[in-house]
């Protein structure tokens, strides 16, 4: 085991010991009275004795062209096939099947960032028309067909889910890249997924500025081509239909302005492809322990069944609700809980273009008031920011939340209490949903109509998910033992990703190898899924997540691989070594801080510091911006030459560096400490 792992585990375990158990808070009776799920017998039905058949309850929430022959096929363990032989289409399930009863209902409320622009309300009928027309364009203008991959690099807009659903209608596998990611990050994903078509938007608003997004795509196409993947066609949606809003003109022969081209497809309808349940629906890239982001491949039938059930039972969405998830669709939360889950339930889902605190701290609450939002879903980072800049703002607006979610990072109990008392006015139930890009939907959460809440704890496994905590030797840590360990899931579940795109070995190695004893086994019991998170479980089964055990830093709920940042730093020719560590941050949770040693003969300078900082933003995006770039004379190293990130982490966080005398170069520690203290 590496020093890095050891250290993180120890420090996280120490935190656990200091944490006190929080009290139970019962869900408000008004909430329970209307909840979709209130019968605790679900936990009996979804016990391991009934696995895997209990998951047919979730699949039955969907409309199938053909039912499955087998609930779970384990023959290619651990690449599970859910609902084998079943046929369905995700776009049909999110749109067509609702038309008979809900064609007039708003599917998407799009809220532009400029407040003077009116909200756009897209009904299910309108969504149907727009998705069909765009699917026809993808098929006939772009020549896309079932199984092809397409990269989508778009801002928050109604056109983004329209694009995704049009792909799903054709069986084209979409790979949405977070709009704020750089050209380089986008190009990496284009190359890895072999996308020959890229879909984007000319411009979008963020923080009061209309950003020229198209310029990023031109660069992404150039970088992708250098990397061996030519983008034959760039499809550009217009932020203002009929008006081109970017200074970067369309490139003849490659670029197609969607809003013009669509005129050729008005009124065209496209039959949804009858997809096998196990055919991929989308790829979502996420950071791993090594430099290259991995493409998590999510299937159609399993994923859609799972997110629909989670939206119904944990998000408690009803037809008459107005549901607002503030995440970006470019992350898994947006895929599962803005687009696929809510739309499969014929919900009304809100998409907000811009910054939640623009132009002031009241913006989010004004949106809630205007649309009469009653289910609100966000991350601790946003909650901390809203609390910091406008602790009294929620009280000024007239809205009522029945249900609120926190997701993506551990939430401090004080922040949880502010969320409940001030944002939720003490009337909303809260779910703290713990899950991952890979897991498609929730792993742990209270069922809001059944379980009491506990500040700072995600709750037990959701019905059907059976968590287990192992120590590093594979010994089970019993609930209530007060010790942290690696949280794993004992059983497969339909929302889980199917593999890492193009890299099955990496899938097996990263998620299963640590606790699998027989690699040839076809029995699911031999393949616990390893989340990579450290957690403690109290005697009542509630899980408290402590953070990642691997080399991943969670910034504002977004994951960044330390290796990704380090390799970005190493693109600067003067850099010899780079090590990144997470530093506690009041709002973002964690922030990366970078230590760099230079090649011999190179002098440190503020210009060089800036060059390295810029390289990281260029390679990955602003999200990876480092708090500081320290140019150090040498890295603290073990005698075998391993960089001691633990020591750097302690320096950055002003903690105790411990005994450093065993290092190869103990003197450097003090030098770095002095530098950082100044
Ligand atoms: O460390 C856990 C943390 O976020 C990681 C997953 O990040 P990502 O794949 O980007 O997905 C974020 C949205 C699902 C996890 O491994 N995490 C996620 N939810 C929680 C959490 N940590 C504590 N509490 C949560 N509710």
């Amino acid at each position: 085991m590496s020093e890095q792992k050891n250290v993180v585990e120890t420090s996280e375990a120490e935190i656990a010991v200091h944490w006190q158990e929080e009290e139970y808070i019962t869900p408000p009776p008004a909430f329970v009275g209307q909840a979709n799920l209130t019968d605790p017998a679900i936990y009996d039905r979804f016990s391991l004795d009934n696995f895997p058949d209990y998951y047919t309850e979730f699949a039955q929430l969907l409309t199938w062209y053909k039912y499955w022959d087998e609930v779970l096929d384990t023959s290619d363990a651990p690449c599970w096939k859910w609902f084998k032989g079943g046929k369905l289409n995700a776009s049909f399930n999110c749109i067509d099947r609702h038309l008979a009863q809900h064609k007039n209902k708003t599917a998407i409320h799009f809220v532009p960032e400029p407040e003077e622009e009116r909200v756009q309300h897209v009904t299910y009928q309108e969504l149907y028309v727009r998705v069909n027309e765009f699917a026809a364009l993808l098929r006939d203008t772009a020549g896309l067909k079932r199984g092809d991959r397409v990269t989508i690099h778009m801002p928050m807009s109604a056109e983004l889910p329209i694009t995704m659903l049009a792909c799903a209608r054709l069986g084209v596998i979409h790979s949405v890249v977070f709009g704020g990611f750089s050209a380089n990050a986008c190009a990496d994903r284009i190359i890895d997924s072999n996308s020959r078509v890229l879909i984007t938007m000319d411009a979008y608003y963020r923080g009061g500025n209309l950003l020229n997004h198209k310029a990023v795509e031109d660069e992404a196409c150039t970088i992708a081509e250098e990397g061996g993947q030519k983008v034959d066609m760039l499809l550009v949606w217009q932020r203002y239909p009929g008006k081109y809003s970017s200074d970067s003109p369309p490139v003849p022969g490659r670029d197609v302005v969607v809003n013009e081209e669509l005129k050729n497809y008005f009124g065209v309808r496209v039959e949804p492809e009858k997809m096998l349940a196990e055919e991929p629906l989308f790829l979502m890239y996420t950071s791993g322990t090594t430099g290259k982001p991995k493409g998590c491949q999510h299937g159609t039938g399993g994923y859609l069944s799972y997110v629909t059930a989670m939206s119904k039972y944990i998000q408690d969405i009803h037809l008459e609700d107005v549901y607002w998830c503030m995440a970006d669709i470019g992350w898994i939360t947006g895929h599962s809980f803005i687009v696929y889950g809510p739309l499969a339930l014929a919900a009304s889902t809100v998409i907000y273009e811009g910054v939640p605190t623009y132009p002031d701290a009241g913006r989010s609450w004004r949106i809630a008031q205007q649309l009469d939002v009653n289910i609100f879903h966000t991350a601790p980072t946003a909650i901390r920011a809203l609390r910091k800049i406008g602790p009294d703002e929620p009280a000024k607006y007239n809205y009522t939340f029945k249900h609120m979610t926190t997701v993506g990072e551990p939430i401090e109990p004080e922040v949880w209490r502010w969320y409940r008392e001030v944002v939720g006015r003490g009337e909303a139930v809260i779910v703290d949903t713990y899950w991952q890009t890979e897991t498609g939907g929730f792993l742990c959460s209270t069922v809001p109509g059944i379980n009491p809440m506990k500040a700072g704890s995600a709750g037990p496994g959701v019905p059907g998910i059976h968590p287990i905590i192992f120590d590093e030797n594979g010994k089970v840590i019993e609930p209530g033992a007060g010790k942290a360990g690696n949280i794993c899931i004992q059983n497969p579940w339909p929302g889980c990703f199917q593999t890492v795109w193009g890299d099955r070995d990496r899938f097996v190695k990263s998620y299963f190898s640590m606790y699998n004893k027989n690699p040839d086994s076809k029995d699911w019991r031999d393949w616990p899924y390893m989340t990579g998170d450290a957690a403690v479980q109290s005697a009542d089964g509630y899980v408290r997540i402590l953070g990642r055990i691997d080399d991943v830093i969670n910034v504002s709920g977004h994951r960044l691989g330390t290796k990704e940042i380090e390799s970005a730093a190493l693109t600067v020719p003067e850099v010899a070594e780079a090590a990144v560590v997470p530093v506690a941050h009041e709002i973002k949770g964690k922030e990366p801080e970078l230590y760099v040693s230079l090649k011999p003969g190179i002098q440190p300078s503020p210009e060089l510091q800036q060059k390295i900082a810029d390289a990281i933003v260029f390679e990955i995006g602003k999200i990876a911006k480092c708090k500081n770039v320290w140019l150090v004379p040498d890295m603290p190293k073990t005698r075998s030459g391993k960089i001691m990130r633990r020591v750097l982490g302690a320096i950055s966080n002003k903690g105790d560096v411990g005994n450093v005398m065993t290092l190869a170069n103990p003197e450097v520690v003090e030098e770095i400490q002095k530098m950082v203290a100044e």
Side-chain angles (χ1 to χ4, degrees):
M1 171 162 288
S2 70
E3 285 115 347
Q4 174 88 6
K5 272 191 182 171
N6 242 333
V7 166
V8 176
E9 274 165 18
T10 323
S11 60
E12 299 293 8
E14 278 164 15
I15 297 170
V17 173
H18 292 119
W19 267 344
Q20 53 183 30
E21 270 296 301
E22 298 287 332
E23 296 193 338
Y24 281 141
I25 298 177
T26 24
F31 175 82
V32 178
Q34 59 81 67
N36 280 329
L37 179 56
T38 51
D39 182 4
I42 184 141
Y43 286 108
D44 300 329
R45 281 204 311 284
F46 281 62
S47 71
L48 278 181
D49 295 341
N50 300 327
F51 182 86
D53 291 347
Y54 55 69
Y55 278 125
T56 56
E57 265 190 49
F58 289 2
Q60 278 157 355
L61 295 172
L62 303 180
T63 305
W64 295 76
Y65 298 117
K66 175 181 175 290
Y67 279 127
W68 48 93
D69 307 315
E70 204 180 344
V71 176
L72 176 66
D73 171 10
T74 65
S75 60
D76 188 25
C79 296
W80 317 116
K81 288 194 180 69
W82 282 94
F83 311 119
K84 176 126 182 271
K87 285 189 183 165
L88 78 168
N89 181 283
S91 166
F92 180 90
N93 272 279
C94 291
I95 309 170
D96 307 38
R97 68 168 179 155
H98 306 317
L99 295 179
Q101 288 183 31
H102 307 298
K103 61 174 173 287
N104 277 327
K105 183 176 189 266
T106 299
I108 296 167
H109 296 280
F110 172 66
V111 184
E113 192 190 71
E115 274 188 289
E116 62 278 12
E117 280 184 35
R118 304 304 305 184
V119 176
Q120 296 166 25
H121 308 277
V122 181
T123 62
Y124 274 95
Q125 175 66 21
E126 176 68 3
L127 185 63
Y128 172 75
V129 169
R130 295 188 66 186
V131 166
N132 271 278
E133 290 172 354
F134 189 59
L137 184 155
L138 289 178
R139 184 189 60 195
D140 299 344
T141 300
L144 290 165
K145 55 178 194 322
R146 185 169 177 158
D148 290 347
R149 277 84 53 209
V150 154
T151 299
I152 302 174
H153 194 206
M154 287 175 68
M156 290 288 278
S157 54
E159 287 77 6
L160 176 48
I162 287 170
T163 301
M164 293 159 70
L165 291 165
C167 290
R169 199 164 189 89
L170 298 173
V172 169
I173 305 167
H174 59 71
S175 163
V176 179
V177 178
F178 170 55
F181 267 154
S182 69
N184 200 60
C186 181
D188 279 349
R189 288 151 175 82
I190 292 171
I191 296 166
D192 191 75
S193 62
N194 297 114
S195 301
R196 55 168 199 82
V197 175
L198 174 64
I199 308 176
T200 192
M201 185 170 266
D202 53 2
Y204 65 101
Y205 274 100
R206 190 127 194 111
N209 301 310
L210 186 64
L211 305 181
N212 178 1
H213 191 53
K214 165 67 163 58
V216 180
E217 312 314 298
D218 288 338
E219 210 183 330
C221 289
T222 309
I223 303 172
E225 187 161 5
E226 283 163 12
Q229 179 59 55
K230 185 161 186 285
V231 173
D232 298 330
M233 188 173 283
L234 174 63
L235 295 172
V236 189
W237 285 96
Q238 290 171 324
R239 166 64 175 79
Y240 293 100
K243 183 174 150 209
Y244 193 75
S245 302
S246 161
D247 294 337
S248 310
V251 174
R254 184 195 69 188
D255 297 357
V256 172
V257 176
V258 172
N259 302 73
E260 284 167 16
E261 183 70 9
L262 268 177
K263 292 176 188 152
N264 300 321
Y265 295 98
F266 284 171
V268 179
R269 301 288 176 261
V270 175
E271 257 318 285
E273 285 285 313
K274 296 185 170 59
M275 305 299 289
L276 286 169
E278 68 260 30
E279 279 181 90
L281 177 61
F282 66 85
L283 306 179
M284 166 64 58
Y285 282 83
T286 188
S287 302
T289 43
T290 59
K292 209 172 126 226
K294 49 195 166 196
C296 295
Q297 176 186 315
H298 282 282
T300 305
Y303 171 82
L304 199 63
S305 302
Y306 200 69
V307 298
T308 306
M310 293 299 113
S311 299
K312 179 161 184 177
Y313 300 129
I314 309 294
Q315 295 293 292
D316 200 62
I317 303 177
H318 297 242
L319 281 171
E320 61 276 19
D321 292 329
V322 182
Y323 171 83
W324 182 18
C325 170
M326 283 218 297
D328 194 288
I329 295 174
W331 307 108
I332 192 70
T333 305
H335 274 50
S336 300
F337 298 111
I338 297 177
V339 181
Y340 285 112
L343 295 179
L345 290 175
S348 299
T349 185
V350 178
I351 295 179
Y352 173 50
E353 179 178 35
V355 179
T357 50
Y358 182 84
D360 56 61
R363 182 64 194 273
S364 299
W365 319 125
R366 282 201 292 286
I367 293 172
Q369 173 178 276
Q370 183 182 355
L371 295 174
D372 201 16
V373 171
N374 65 343
I375 307 182
F376 184 69
H377 186 147
T378 192
T381 300
I383 304 171
R384 289 185 211 110
L386 291 163
R387 176 181 185 233
K388 186 166 184 212
I389 68 165
D392 306 321
E393 285 298 308
K396 299 182 188 161
Y397 297 93
N398 183 18
Y399 65 80
T400 308
F401 294 155
K402 70 165 183 176
H403 182 293
M404 305 195 302
T405 299
T406 165
V407 59
E409 308 158 70
I411 184 164
E412 301 80 357
E414 313 87 84
V415 178
W416 189 95
R417 279 189 276 272
W418 180 81
Y419 192 37
R420 178 167 174 273
E421 283 153 24
V422 179
V423 178
R425 318 202 202 281
E427 293 168 5
V429 81
I430 297 185
V431 291
D432 179 344
T433 60
Y434 161 63
W435 59 297
Q436 309 177 307
T437 303
E438 294 86 338
T439 72
F442 307 142
L443 294 176
C444 295
S445 167
T446 49
V447 174
I450 299 178
N451 312 115
M453 304 167 255
K454 210 198 263 184
S457 279
V462 295
I465 295 285
H466 298 274
I468 187 161
I469 302 190
F470 290 121
D471 70 11
E472 62 266 40
N473 303 314
K475 206 168 145 277
V476 177
I477 299 176
E478 295 297 337
K483 256 186 76 194
N486 297 341
I487 178 164
C488 296
I489 309 300
Q490 297 179 60
N491 57 294
W493 68 99
C496 190
F497 73 137
Q498 303 174 304
T499 187
V500 173
W501 178 255
D503 200 347
R504 186 187 195 276
D505 288 350
R506 189 172 177 194
F507 172 71
V508 178
K509 192 160 170 282
S510 310
Y511 298 93
F512 299 96
S513 63
M514 187 159 172
Y515 295 115
N516 167 260
K517 293 188 193 76
N518 173 11
D520 297 322
S521 172
K522 306 290 175 211
D523 185 342
W524 57 266
R525 290 170 196 79
D526 290 326
W527 295 95
Y529 169 87
M530 191 175 117
T531 62
D533 284 310
V536 271
Q537 195 173 23
S538 47
D540 56 9
Y542 279 45
V543 164
R544 191 162 200 171
I545 303 298
L546 306 168
R548 313 237 2 127
I549 56 163
D550 54 18
D551 294 342
V552 173
I553 301 181
N554 197 324
V555 184
S556 306
H558 305 321
R559 267 157 79 183
L560 295 168
T562 48
K563 291 288 182 300
E564 258 183 302
I565 303 178
E566 291 166 9
S567 46
L570 287 164
T571 62
V572 176
E574 292 88 345
V575 171
E577 287 176 312
V580 71
V581 294
V583 186
H585 184 277
E586 194 190 354
I587 304 288
K588 300 181 192 171
K590 294 273 165 44
E591 206 181 22
E593 179 153 279
L594 184 69
Y595 290 85
V596 162
S597 65
L598 299 172
K599 287 186 182 153
I602 309 267
Q603 292 309 312
S605 67
E607 289 73 22
L608 195 49
Q609 244 169 337
Q610 192 57 47
K611 188 169 164 192
I612 299 165
D614 291 346
I616 289 160
V617 175
F618 169 78
E619 294 284 331
I620 304 168
K622 281 207 196 78
I623 184 100
K625 194 163 179 285
C626 291
K627 182 178 177 202
N628 287 296
V629 176
W630 299 111
L631 303 181
V632 297
D634 196 1
M635 296 286 183
K637 285 194 188 135
T638 61
R639 299 210 171 154
S640 62
K642 277 196 198 145
I643 298 178
M644 290 291 282
R645 287 200 183 74
R646 172 181 73 77
V647 172
L648 295 172
I651 297 174
S652 285
N653 289 290
K654 314 276 184 282
D656 179 5
V657 295
N659 180 5
V660 294
M661 292 322 287
T662 53
L663 297 188
N665 51 355
E667 70 290 348
V668 80
V669 174
E670 212 172 305
E671 274 185 70
I672 300 177
Q673 266 175 323
K674 267 203 206 131
M675 182 186 261
V676 173
E678 271 165 21

